[in-house]
Amino acid sequence: MDYDEDAVELSCHSSTGRRNLPASLDVMTSGDSRGIAWGIVQDIMREKRARRFASAEEKTEFFRRLYGGDAPENLRERLRREKEELEIAVTQLTGKLAERTRQLEHLRRYPDDDPFADGAILRFEKKFPTGDTRYSYVAIRISGAWYLTGARSPQGIAWDELVEFMGLGVDEVWQVNWTKKTRNGRDLQVERKVIG
C-alpha cells in the first residue's frame, strides 16, 4: 500500500497505550477511510503474528520501536530491573550496617556510668565529621557535672552528654590528674589513658 506522507495521521488505542500508525491517510479524499485504516491495522497485526524473535530482548526492542519507544517492559525485564534495584539496596544497607557496627564498637569503649570522681580532668582530641582537623579539649568534673574548654562546647553536662559530645570523633581520652601511689606511699599525679 502507498500512503501519502502529508495526510492526516491515524492512531489507534491498545491495552498497552496509544500508538501512532506508521502511515498517514488523506481522510478528505478517501471514500472509505475506515476501511483503509482497518487495513493498516491488519497489516501491523499480521507483521506482529508472523514475526519470530531470536530472544526476548529482540522482541522487546521490536515492540518498543513499534509503539514509539513506550512499550511496557515485559515480566522478565521488570524482574531483572527489580533484582538490580534490590541488589543495589542490599549493598547500600550492608555498607550502612557495617558502618553502624563500627560506630557501636567504638562507643563500647565508653563506660555506661560515669566512672570519675569530682575533680577529674580529662584531655582528648576530637575530629568533627565535616573535616580532618583535630581539636584539643579538656573537661573537668565539678559537682557531678562536666565543663569543657572551647567557646561553643557544652557546659555543665552529664556523663552521657559528654560521651555524646566526644562521640565517634575521639580515639583516646587521657586523665591528666590521675593519682598514683608510689612505693613509699606518697601520691603522685600522672597522666594515664582511660579510654581508647
Side-chain angles (χ1 to χ4, degrees), residues 114 118 140-147 155-159:
D114 190 346
D118 282 348
I140 185 168
R141 188 173 193 258
I142 301 171
S143 300
W146 289 95
Y147 297 85
Q155 302 299 320
I157 58 175
W159 173 251

Side-chain angles (χ1 to χ4, degrees), residues 48-59:
K48 285 165 69 172
R49 281 192 297 269
R51 177 106 176 146
R52 298 285 182 245
F53 301 101
S55 67
E57 289 79 13
E58 182 185 349
K59 180 179 179 182

Side-chain angles (χ1 to χ4, degrees), residues 4-131:
D4 182 3
E5 291 297 316
D6 297 326
V8 176
E9 186 176 272
L10 294 178
S11 64
C12 66
H13 294 274
S14 70
S15 61
T16 58
R18 186 174 187 277
R19 174 193 172 316
N20 287 329
L21 296 176
S24 301
L25 189 50
D26 187 350
V27 179
M28 300 302 283
T29 60
S30 173
D32 188 11
S33 59
R34 288 181 132 185
I36 294 173
W38 182 247
I40 294 169
V41 171
Q42 292 300 318
D43 287 346
I44 292 170
M45 296 309 290
R46 264 193 302 280
E47 182 182 352
K48 285 165 69 172
R49 281 192 297 269
R51 177 106 176 146
R52 298 285 182 245
F53 301 101
S55 67
E57 289 79 13
E58 182 185 349
K59 180 179 179 182
T60 301
E61 183 58 32
F62 171 78
F63 284 107
R64 279 209 177 105
R65 280 195 318 271
L66 184 66
Y67 289 104
D70 294 332
E73 61 186 353
N74 63 31
L75 177 62
R76 184 170 307 190
E77 286 178 320
R78 183 174 55 84
L79 292 176
R80 282 185 186 143
R81 179 183 49 77
E82 289 175 359
K83 179 182 176 271
E84 289 172 4
E85 290 170 357
L86 287 170
E87 287 172 345
I88 290 169
V90 166
T91 301
Q92 291 171 341
L93 287 173
T94 301
K96 202 49 116 167
L97 177 63
E99 179 184 354
R100 289 294 181 256
T101 302
R102 281 192 307 274
Q103 291 170 340
L104 283 170
E105 197 61 41
H106 184 85
L107 289 177
R108 279 195 188 109
R109 302 174 313 147
Y110 298 103
D112 290 336
D113 297 319
D114 190 346
F116 301 100
D118 282 348
I121 300 172
L122 304 180
R123 174 182 66 82
F124 58 90
E125 289 184 348
K126 177 178 173 133
K127 183 178 89 168
F128 290 90
T130 55

